[in-house]
Amino acid sequence: MTSAQSVAALARRQYGVVARAQLSDRGVSGATISRWVANGRLDRLNRGVYAFGHRSLTHDGWTMAALLAVGPGAAVSYRSAAAGWDLARARSGPVDITSPDQRGGGLRGIRHHRSILASDEVTEHRGFKITTIARTIVDMSDVARPREFGDLLDRALLLRLYDHREMLEALDRARGRHGLGRLHRAIAVLTDDGDRFRSDDERRVRDALALTGHVRAEVNAWLPVGEPGFEVDLLWRSQRLIVEVDGPHHLLPYQRQLDRARDAALTRAGYRVLRLPAEHTVTEFSTVTDVIRLTTEGRK
């Protein structure tokens, strides 16, 4: 394999970008690098980082370019890490990179954060060095708006990326962080009374009925109905009442078909199923409370 072929293979793995040090490691001389820049094979993006054979980069390409520009010890972090883990939408603008020194300061297209990352706070994901889910949540607690932070936690739960043990370890390290209070409150929501909520909406609905003096709901309870059975969001077992808190994906045609079949099976088994749009737990909270209260009273 020629040096050009080796570089092309590397660029394909790195979303179209390469670092000068990587070119040198593959036998590409300084003179050849200059020639490739002159003839357009390499397009300089940042200090010691080039696009190879690409005039237009994807978001991942710019993220990799930022990571390579800062160099060893750097990791994608904050909002860029949240996007990398699919916990938030990718945004245009600077790429968030954390490193233990000032090498990333002042570089074009990079929002640099100086911090020493422990070895267990960094991992590799989709070819990037990136902060772990727990460290990313800690970082985002400092900078995210309240709704943005809540959505991020919900997404981590729904994708089954949240690990409570790792989160507690990260929380212990977070002493002195600006978002520490918010982080404590968020973790309490996820683990209140031993229940494992997949969203704050589930907790809000359960507590709505608890405040009226009725029995507390079981959270994410398993019912052996049909084969293999169903996990339901909130269950009042004695009243045989199920409340499902539906996010936007429940409006999709195939998901609606699955929901109808599931509800029919649960109804045949003697349960009443109420479906509440998640946004109603915020915008129509009193109505939600009244609906559940009246339903449970009628099922005693």
Side-chain angles (χ1 to χ4, degrees), residues 14-251:
Q14 296 186 161
Y15 305 99
V17 301
V18 294
R20 187 180 186 93
Q22 294 175 324
L23 296 173
S24 298
D25 290 343
R26 283 158 178 77
V28 181
S29 67
T32 299
I33 292 174
S34 298
R35 186 172 70 253
W36 285 359
V37 170
N39 65 25
R41 175 174 278 185
L42 289 176
D43 184 22
R44 188 177 185 276
L45 303 174
N46 217 320
R47 182 180 64 193
V49 180
Y50 307 89
F52 182 81
H54 294 262
R55 291 293 181 182
S56 178
L57 293 178
T58 64
H59 184 271
D60 286 336
W62 286 109
T63 300
M64 181 62 78
L67 191 61
L68 293 174
V70 179
V76 181
S77 59
Y78 286 81
R79 284 193 168 89
S80 297
W85 286 110
D86 197 27
L87 301 181
R89 294 178 60 184
R91 298 182 175 189
S92 59
V95 179
D96 289 292
I97 301 291
T98 294
S99 71
D101 51 40
Q102 295 287 6
R103 282 173 297 163
L107 292 179
R108 180 166 55 95
I110 295 173
R111 184 183 295 110
H112 182 252
H113 309 268
R114 186 177 181 182
S115 180
I116 297 175
L117 295 169
S119 60
D120 60 351
E121 292 180 303
V122 180
T123 188
E124 186 165 321
H125 177 61
R126 297 175 51 239
F128 298 107
K129 291 291 185 183
I130 188 170
T131 51
T132 61
I133 296 291
R135 174 64 193 236
T136 300
I137 291 172
V138 169
D139 288 341
M140 288 295 287
S141 72
D142 280 347
V143 299
R145 297 183 299 275
R147 183 58 184 268
E148 179 187 12
F149 188 63
D151 288 345
L152 182 145
L153 287 174
D154 283 357
R155 186 73 176 161
L157 289 165
L158 290 169
L159 294 177
R160 300 187 183 277
L161 295 175
Y162 178 84
D163 184 298
H164 190 57
R165 179 187 59 79
E166 291 181 4
M167 196 66 245
L168 290 178
E169 292 175 358
L171 192 65
D172 187 57
R173 292 172 174 167
R175 295 172 184 172
R177 300 289 295 256
H178 296 305
L180 187 59
R182 170 196 281 186
L183 199 53
H184 274 290
R185 291 190 297 272
I187 300 308
V189 166
L190 299 180
T191 59
D192 180 55
D193 298 325
D195 291 328
R196 296 298 298 274
F197 296 92
R198 290 199 172 85
S199 76
D200 196 18
D201 298 312
E202 292 177 358
R203 182 179 189 272
R204 188 180 293 112
V205 173
R206 185 210 65 178
D207 289 349
L209 191 58
L211 290 173
T212 69
H214 288 78
V215 65
R216 293 167 71 89
E218 298 175 42
V219 179
N220 295 315
W222 184 261
L223 288 175
V225 174
E227 180 60 41
F230 299 108
E231 183 182 86
V232 299
D233 289 348
L234 299 168
L235 171 66
W236 284 269
R237 196 175 294 270
S238 63
Q239 290 97 339
R240 300 184 73 79
L241 171 67
I242 295 166
V243 171
E244 297 285 359
V245 184
D246 291 346
H249 70 284
H250 285 272
L251 297 175

Side-chain angles (χ1 to χ4, degrees), residues 241-298:
L241 171 67
I242 295 166
V243 171
E244 297 285 359
V245 184
D246 291 346
H249 70 284
H250 285 272
L251 297 175
L252 299 174
Y254 182 61
Q255 185 61 51
R256 290 175 66 181
Q257 180 182 343
L258 293 178
D259 288 344
R260 283 195 294 269
R262 168 192 173 103
D263 292 353
L266 290 166
T267 299
R268 287 193 298 270
Y271 293 93
R272 180 171 182 181
V273 181
L274 290 181
R275 288 194 171 272
L276 300 173
E279 64 269 19
H280 287 185
T281 67
V282 177
T283 61
E284 301 178 34
F285 184 70
S286 61
T287 301
V288 167
T289 304
D290 290 342
V291 168
I292 299 175
R293 178 177 53 80
L294 292 171
T295 303
T296 54
E297 287 177 350

